[in-house]
Amino acid sequence: VPEKISVDEETPIAHFTALQLKRIDVKTLADDQLIYLTNRAMMLHHGAFLYEVLQEILERPEAGDRVDLNQVYLALVDLAVQKYDRDAAFAWLEKGLAWSQKQDNAFELALQWKMRALTLRVEDPDDSELVSLYEELWDKYGKKLPELRQHLSMLAEAYNLPVKEKSGIITSGDDDAGSGKLFTGD
């Protein structure tokens, strides 16, 4: 195993090759260097190296505020899926969802995270949370986004999901349908 490369704030890591970057001791990096390395690692997408870098950026809140944490959490979910570690993938999904709840565009981000969870859960038809997640997406988000209901209907049909028959069209019997209420995202 090659030795780790220790760097200081003056080390020009921008000139490092991909192999040299993988040997950097990420814990010794200054925040600016870590941010640069995070962006570069996301482009290289070398599994173990990317995981190490993303873990470090999450341990430094000051540096983490200067990167797209949505992409960081999504990358961690993808890395767990690539390793066939469903438990880790769902753990990262929960952390990403919790992070999204604190953002200005929480509604959109939460929908994105829940849809990502649905795409993982649909792979296992016996998943105990699949139907409840589907129903939540249908009821909570589908009221505000009718196109989502059409997509969910197609997904249920394609995967033969054990969900009750629903239509992708909002009818007058649906709660808040046509009520004229202002959409607030809550």
Side-chain angles (χ1 to χ4, degrees), residues 3 6 9 15 17 35-36 55 76 95 105 110 118 121 138-140 144 151 165-166 173 183-184:
E3 287 185 29
S6 292
E9 291 187 33
H15 299 291
T17 65
I35 291 165
Y36 170 79
Q55 287 284 95
L76 287 164
K95 289 179 182 180
N105 56 343
L118 183 64
R121 292 198 184 282
W138 184 275
D139 293 333
K140 181 177 179 181
K144 295 169 176 71
H151 177 71
E165 185 74 23
K166 294 194 172 195
F183 167 64
T184 62

Side-chain angles (χ1 to χ4, degrees), residues 23 38 73 78 95 122 128 132 163:
R23 292 178 45 211
T38 300
Y73 285 115
D78 289 342
K95 289 179 182 180
V122 79
S128 62
S132 62
V163 294

Side-chain angles (χ1 to χ4, degrees), residues 3-156:
E3 287 185 29
K4 288 283 191 184
I5 298 174
S6 292
V7 297
D8 59 25
E9 291 187 33
E10 302 301 318
T11 307
I13 64 172
H15 299 291
F16 280 24
T17 65
L19 292 175
Q20 288 173 316
L21 288 175
K22 290 174 70 173
R23 292 178 45 211
I24 290 177
D25 182 6
V26 296
K27 297 206 178 294
T28 65
L29 294 174
D31 284 353
D32 288 338
Q33 290 173 317
L34 180 60
I35 291 165
Y36 170 79
L37 191 61
T38 300
N39 293 329
R40 187 105 178 257
M42 294 281 271
M43 286 189 314
L44 294 172
H45 211 75
H46 289 253
F49 172 62
L50 178 58
Y51 187 80
E52 179 184 11
V53 171
L54 296 179
Q55 287 284 95
E56 184 65 24
I57 199 81
L58 289 176
E59 290 178 16
R60 299 190 198 180
E62 310 82 36
D65 290 342
R66 295 170 46 201
V67 296
D68 184 356
L69 287 178
N70 194 50
Q71 291 300 316
V72 168
Y73 285 115
L74 283 172
L76 287 164
V77 169
D78 289 342
L79 289 171
V81 168
Q82 289 170 7
K83 293 190 316 187
Y84 300 102
D85 189 347
R86 281 179 58 88
D87 293 336
F90 286 116
W92 286 117
L93 273 166
E94 287 301 317
K95 289 179 182 180
L97 179 61
W99 168 83
S100 74
Q101 299 300 315
K102 302 172 194 161
Q103 305 310 306
D104 291 338
N105 56 343
F107 179 82
E108 293 88 359
L109 289 172
L111 174 59
Q112 177 187 20
W113 283 102
K114 288 178 186 278
M115 286 300 294
R116 182 68 174 115
L118 183 64
T119 61
L120 288 179
R121 292 198 184 282
V122 79
E123 294 174 5
D124 179 12
D126 297 327
D127 188 310
S128 62
E129 296 182 37
L130 174 61
V131 174
S132 62
L133 178 59
Y134 181 93
E135 295 289 333
E136 178 186 1
L137 286 165
W138 184 275
D139 293 333
K140 181 177 179 181
Y141 297 94
K143 287 179 185 177
K144 295 169 176 71
L145 303 167
E147 299 85 17
L148 177 64
R149 285 187 171 175
Q150 292 171 350
H151 177 71
L152 290 171
S153 294
M154 291 187 308
L155 188 71

